[in-house]
Amino acid sequence: MGWVFRTARNRDGRAHALEERAQEVGPGSVPVLVAVEAGLEVALGTKLLDGWLSNRRQVLVPHTLNFRALAPDASALLVEVMAAAAQADGEVDPREAQQLPLALERVGAGEAEARRLEAALAEPQHLGQLLARVEEAGLATHAYAAALLAINRRARVNRAFLDYVARRLGLPAEVAGSLERRYRT
């Protein structure tokens, strides 16, 4: 932070006179300019650290689900998670069947993902094995976001499904809550 003060010090062309005056303080005492500068550095550093700590979850956790940026095997895995979420209550109702292609489109999925979704809905997978594959791929937050897009969270069984997925994937409550706010449907 010292470079900030050094570059801004002589903005008005009068810094030399101020520095000389600050140095005139009695012997053995800290010059006024140096003390003010040190206090400003501490205050600015504290503000920066506080801001970073309060927003670190936003920086550390990918909150954007974009199928165009994912590898094909990762997007296929997330489509399977969406299918499992849609089937969490035992059936895919007409509203969910209508919402799923729109949700895929919303996150940048293409025709291949739409076909994969139809196949995954026709042939459900074991949830435990599916979530294990998600963990191995390191796609926990992406999978939770995909599940959020696929179901109605207000239904009690769907809410229980989301809670199970979050716990099984080891997502902290703050991360799950942040994803739920971001992917409101």
Side-chain angles (χ1 to χ4, degrees), residues 85 88-89 96 151-153 155-163:
D89 59 358
E96 285 176 330
I151 62 175
N152 174 11
R153 295 175 249 185
R156 191 176 296 174
V157 69
N158 290 343
R159 183 73 253 165
F161 174 83
L162 288 172
D163 292 342

Side-chain angles (χ1 to χ4, degrees), residues 54-123:
S54 64
N55 290 321
R56 73 181 181 272
R57 290 279 185 213
Q58 294 176 7
V59 175
L60 296 176
V61 178
H63 288 286
T64 303
L65 183 60
N66 183 357
F67 275 65
R68 286 182 223 123
L70 294 171
D73 56 335
S75 62
L77 184 58
L78 295 178
V79 167
E80 290 176 19
V81 169
M82 290 179 80
Q87 296 168 336
D89 59 358
E91 66 178 359
V92 180
D93 62 41
R95 181 180 175 270
E96 285 176 330
Q98 186 180 12
Q99 284 296 115
L100 285 171
L102 297 175
L104 278 174
E105 187 177 310
R106 178 179 168 193
V107 293
E111 187 63 34
E113 287 84 8
R115 285 192 305 273
R116 179 74 176 164
L117 178 65
E118 289 176 19
L121 287 171
E123 191 176 316

Side-chain angles (χ1 to χ4, degrees), residues 165-182:
V165 169
R167 280 193 303 274
R168 176 68 164 62
L169 295 175
L171 294 177
E174 305 90 36
V175 173
S178 178
L179 288 169
E180 288 189 24
R181 285 187 298 277
R182 173 132 181 139

Side-chain angles (χ1 to χ4, degrees), residues 21 128 185:
R21 192 166 170 212
T185 52

Side-chain angles (χ1 to χ4, degrees), residues 6-31:
R6 284 190 298 277
T7 56
R9 183 176 285 156
N10 199 20
R11 273 187 23 197
D12 59 1
R14 299 170 65 195
H16 298 296
L18 290 173
E19 284 181 11
E20 289 171 10
R21 192 166 170 212
Q23 300 297 334
E24 292 173 5
V25 177
S29 63
V30 178

